[in-house]
Amino acid sequence: MEKLKEYVSVKDEDHFSHQGAVELLIFNFLLILTILTIWLFKNHRFRFLHETGGAMLYGLVMGLIIRYVTKSPDAESGTVYECEKLKSGPSTLLINITNQVYEYQYKREISHHNVNGHQGNTMLQKQMTFDPSIFFNILLPPIIFHAGYSLKKRHFFRNLGSILTYAFLGTAISCIVIGLIMYGFVKAMVHIGQLKQWEFHFTDCLFFGSLMSATDPVTVLAIFHELNVDTDLYTLLFGESVLNDAVAIVLTHSISIYSPKENPNAFDAAAFFQSVGIFLGIFAGSFAMGSSYAVVTALLTKFTKLCEFPMLETGLFFLLSWSAFLSAEAAGLTGIVAVLFCGVTQAHYTYNNLSADSKMRTKQLFEFMNFLAENVIFCYMGLALFTFQNHIFNPLFIFGALVAVFVARASNIYPLSFLLNLGRKQKIPRTFQHMMMFSGLRGAIAFALAIRDTASQPKQMMFSTALLLVFFTVWVCGGGTMPMLTWLQIRVGVDPDEDLKARAASQGAHNLDKNTTKAESAWLFRIWYGFDHKYLKPLLTHAGPPLTSTLPEWCNPLARLLTSPRAYGDQLKDGDTVYIINNDELTENYDSSAHTAVPAQDSTASSQATGKEDIQEGDLGLGGYKLQLQHTAGQPQKNSLA
């Protein structure tokens, strides 16, 4: 009998191991199918469905199979047993069943309404209880770090003020508008008896507004990158989405801890200002944490000879960058914000100290991790639509959320663009505003924030609705990017550097680089980079002027110690901002791949020789669309979708 029990125990362990291997194999095959589909789409230049949309589609099919084809192997699983002796839930529970002691570990509390007929299916159980910390600790950090590390600083800082306005003020406006509209729909649902008054409070509506304010236009940006869409439009949309994610995460946390002392639906000034203070404190602390780790990495790579061992250098770079995220989470801050600014600071300082091999390795490593993590998340979104066992789909709530998301996006983009244009020399045209309005897709961040807490029925309704909105925006809005570019006649095939020079030439500037930078860079950028080029760059990298030429004479001993010998060969430029922008090596590396997608421009020379306007059409196979390339003598190239 004892041998039989041991055999059964070993068999159970083998079964769980086998089950885990099957689940990993499912994800593996989904990713393989996604990669092959991406190749097929790229080969045929098909842009109506992005890779993330394809990953979601494959996840849907697999979730459907798991939900309705697989059966529960254990009839006892999911059965609720009453136990009145236990006063609280112990972390470890020992149960004696026919003189055989079994050990069970506490997972979480489950409400009675969450127990259903599928509870015994172990595969569905694992899908349902997919630990949200995996999203935040493993999958999201590479995506966010890559966004900061690959940031095109040259164009980002030219639009810094506008990006910060959209990211901070725009996200707050979006959160409030969605919260107010959803509160109106919730009141209507209470009135017709679909909800109870005590189930959904105004703070819950604001919480939903904050998580749905996180935009993720990955589909649109991928098409923009392939087509070389106007650089200002790409930068505004990309910069807003990067910072918007960080703001939405901190805002969601601040709202979740907002707790009025009396009526949850009443405004409590003390609780409000406490939440605002927590928001500012967490954001500032996370920014400092991420930047500090990047500074430490820069100093280590500068004052050691790790560049002689590229593998060790890359490993140190990766681990210190990841530590920024983990340290922020351990300190009660937001790791996503920390790793974002860690990536930006690493790109600005540490990248200059790396060896040529490490530069290429870190760039390709995080690019690959971003690709893989993003597709895993979107595959899981498809799976979750069928494998999550506690969905609550309310048509009125879903319709209200869809209306609220688009109204909030319009309330964000158009008024703020109007205010920004009052102070911008280079105005944000209406076509850009329409495209930004249309490009407010929801994705990985909104999904991760929604799945983080699904214990109560209101949170389950939010999660189900958020999932449907992600599907809608990725498939409908993402798939409509090409028709929108055509309808709005937005320029494509734009060389960023040539575009800057063309603008300066049209303004009659004599010094193209210098005047373009000074005229269009954000004032905050000019102030910061003057200080950065004189002091921080020489301190943290091998570049910039020697500290002996910028610090007071009494600091010369320390300045000589901290200045790299390579820096003595550099001269302080007349325009600090011009020097730094035009020597943005990482940006140039990331831009280089984009330039190869621009069609050959041999026809330009012929058109200039004849002195006549020469219009040529080249079918680039853009899913039935054509690029119209216009070459005019003495004028910059202008491309539009026709």
Side-chain angles (χ1 to χ4, degrees):
M1 183 63 70
E2 292 296 330
K3 290 184 178 180
L4 180 61
K5 290 181 178 178
E6 290 179 4
Y7 172 75
V8 173
S9 177
V10 171
K11 187 177 179 180
D12 288 341
E13 291 180 2
D14 290 341
H15 171 73
F16 284 119
S17 176
H18 170 75
Q19 190 72 37
V22 169
E23 291 167 3
L24 290 176
L25 186 62
I26 289 173
F27 272 102
N28 194 50
F29 277 125
L30 286 176
L31 291 176
I32 291 173
L33 283 173
T34 302
I35 290 174
L36 291 176
T37 305
I38 293 169
W39 168 81
L40 187 65
F41 285 1
K42 288 185 179 293
N43 190 45
H44 293 280
R45 298 179 184 253
F46 182 78
R47 294 186 174 91
F48 286 110
L49 183 64
H50 186 250
E51 59 199 54
T52 54
M56 294 169 69
L57 185 61
Y58 289 133
L60 271 175
V61 175
M62 188 57 66
L64 188 65
I65 294 173
I66 293 174
R67 179 79 179 189
Y68 296 106
V69 175
T70 60
K71 296 182 179 179
S72 172
D74 187 1
E76 292 294 323
S77 295
T79 305
V80 179
Y81 296 95
E82 300 293 336
C83 186
E84 299 179 355
K85 293 183 178 180
L86 293 177
K87 300 300 181 183
S88 61
S91 59
T92 303
L93 188 64
L94 300 177
I95 299 180
N96 190 337
I97 303 176
T98 61
N99 296 325
Q100 183 70 28
V101 179
Y102 296 90
E103 179 182 0
Y104 293 88
Q105 289 186 342
Y106 173 81
K107 261 191 174 181
R108 70 194 186 285
E109 181 182 357
I110 300 179
S111 301
H112 287 285
H113 65 268
N114 289 342
V115 180
N116 52 54
H118 294 282
Q119 205 73 29
N121 192 323
T122 55
M123 186 170 287
L124 284 182
Q125 278 184 349
K126 287 199 173 184
Q127 294 296 336
M128 183 192 72
T129 59
F130 194 89
D131 192 352
S133 65
I134 293 179
F135 284 107
F136 280 87
N137 295 335
I138 297 178
L139 297 178
L140 285 184
I143 296 175
I144 301 300
F145 183 88
H146 176 260
Y149 194 54
S150 62
L151 189 67
K152 298 178 181 179
K153 298 191 292 294
R154 182 183 314 183
H155 304 283
F156 177 83
F157 286 108
R158 286 179 56 242
N159 297 278
L160 181 62
S162 301
I163 290 172
L164 291 177
T165 303
Y166 286 128
F168 284 88
L169 188 56
T171 304
I173 292 174
S174 177
C175 171
I176 294 171
V177 171
I178 293 176
L180 290 173
I181 293 176
M182 293 311 300
Y183 189 63
F185 275 90
V186 165
K187 285 291 187 183
M189 293 166 65
V190 171
H191 182 71
I192 62 178
Q194 293 186 5
L195 272 181
K196 296 180 181 179
Q197 180 67 36
W198 53 269
E199 287 183 337
F200 228 106
H201 304 297
F202 181 62
T203 51
D204 295 320
C205 297
L206 284 179
F207 179 85
F208 182 73
S210 63
L211 70 89
M212 290 310 302
S213 296
T215 59
D216 185 17
V218 58
T219 305
V220 177
L221 289 174
I223 295 175
F224 281 9
H225 180 74
E226 291 179 20
L227 295 179
N228 288 334
V229 172
D230 191 288
T231 313
D232 280 340
L233 174 59
Y234 181 92
T235 304
L236 286 171
L237 194 59
F238 178 77
E240 180 220 358
S241 67
V242 169
L243 293 179
N244 157 273
D245 290 342
V247 174
I249 290 172
V250 182
L251 189 61
T252 303
H253 176 72
S254 301
I255 292 175
S256 65
I257 61 177
Y258 171 79
S259 54
K261 295 181 180 180
E262 298 178 357
N263 185 2
N265 291 318
F267 177 76
D268 189 329
F272 171 77
F273 286 109
Q274 181 184 9
S275 296
V276 172
I278 291 173
F279 172 85
L280 297 176
I282 290 178
F283 201 94
S286 303
F287 169 82
M289 182 73 75
S291 302
S292 299
Y293 269 95
V295 168
V296 170
T297 312
L299 291 173
L300 284 174
T301 52
K302 176 183 177 181
F303 291 107
T304 63
K305 294 186 178 180
L306 276 170
C307 59
E308 298 176 0
F309 306 96
M311 187 63 69
L312 300 179
E313 190 178 36
T314 304
L316 182 70
F317 182 94
F318 175 83
L319 292 175
L320 283 174
S321 300
W322 198 285
S323 297
F325 173 86
L326 297 177
S327 298
E329 289 291 325
L333 303 172
T334 302
I336 296 299
V337 178
V339 80
L340 169 64
F341 288 104
C342 179
V344 174
T345 313
Q346 296 278 42
H348 189 56
Y349 297 114
T350 310
Y351 186 85
N352 298 295
N353 300 335
L354 300 178
S355 62
D357 288 344
S358 295
K359 287 179 179 179
M360 184 59 65
R361 285 175 180 174
T362 55
K363 174 179 172 293
Q364 292 179 343
L365 172 65
F366 287 105
E367 193 172 6
F368 170 73
M369 292 181 68
N370 168 73
F371 167 80
L372 204 60
E374 206 165 58
N375 281 283
V376 167
I377 290 178
F378 279 93
C379 279
Y380 185 74
M381 287 186 196
L383 279 170
L385 189 63
F386 289 106
T387 58
F388 184 75
Q389 301 181 65
N390 300 307
H391 278 303
I392 298 179
F393 296 107
N394 186 293
L396 187 58
F397 191 85
I398 294 170
F399 175 74
L402 186 63
V403 172
V405 163
F406 282 99
V407 172
R409 185 68 178 170
S411 304
N412 167 6
I413 296 299
Y414 294 118
L416 292 182
S417 298
F418 172 77
L419 295 176
L420 288 169
N421 280 339
L422 297 178
R424 282 178 61 104
K425 292 184 175 65
Q426 187 70 31
K427 308 298 183 184
I428 303 174
R430 274 286 179 180
T431 54
F432 284 16
Q433 296 176 38
H434 296 328
M435 196 66 224
M436 291 178 69
M437 162 67 190
F438 184 79
S439 303
L441 282 65
R442 270 58 181 177
I445 300 295
F447 175 78
L449 289 172
I451 201 175
R452 207 170 193 178
D453 180 12
T454 56
S456 63
Q457 286 185 322
K459 295 296 175 63
Q460 291 167 3
M461 188 184 298
M462 292 181 196
F463 171 70
S464 303
T465 305
L467 188 58
L468 289 181
L469 288 179
V470 171
F471 276 93
F472 178 83
T473 55
V474 169
W475 283 344
V476 177
C477 297
T481 301
M482 290 296 301
M484 279 296 291
L485 287 173
T486 305
W487 182 58
L488 296 174
Q489 297 182 344
I490 293 175
R491 297 188 308 160
V492 298
V494 179
D495 186 323
D497 297 325
E498 294 299 325
D499 189 44
L500 286 176
K501 294 180 180 180
R503 288 180 183 177
S506 65
Q507 296 171 0
H510 298 290
N511 190 330
L512 300 183
D513 290 334
K514 180 177 178 180
N515 286 356
T516 301
T517 303
K518 289 188 175 181
E520 298 185 3
S521 295
W523 63 270
L524 182 61
F525 160 70
R526 296 199 300 269
I527 294 174
W528 160 249
Y529 265 71
F531 174 80
D532 175 66
H533 181 59
K534 292 179 181 178
Y535 305 109
L536 294 184
K537 276 273 189 172
L539 174 64
L540 300 176
T541 70
H542 299 292
L547 288 172
T548 52
S549 65
T550 57
L551 290 176
E553 291 185 4
W554 58 271
C555 295
N556 277 350
L558 181 62
R560 283 193 295 269
L561 179 65
L562 297 177
T563 301
S564 171
R566 303 182 199 174
Y568 289 100
D570 293 342
Q571 297 295 326
L572 187 63
K573 305 297 177 182
D574 182 33
D576 295 328
T577 56
V578 181
Y579 173 78
I580 295 168
I581 296 181
N582 293 336
N583 286 275
D584 183 0
E585 185 180 357
L586 184 60
T587 298
E588 291 170 0
N589 287 342
Y590 272 92
D591 285 343
S592 61
S593 60
H595 296 331
T596 60
V598 183
Q601 301 180 13
D602 295 336
S603 58
T604 306
S606 61
S607 64
Q608 290 176 345
T610 58
K612 298 179 181 179
E613 187 180 67
D614 181 19
I615 301 178
Q616 299 180 351
E617 288 189 4
D619 185 5
L620 301 186
L622 306 180
Y625 293 89
K626 292 185 178 181
L627 276 177
Q628 189 180 69
L629 308 180
Q630 297 184 356
H631 305 291
T632 307
Q635 294 183 3
Q637 175 181 309
K638 295 182 179 179
N639 304 339
S640 61
L641 283 170

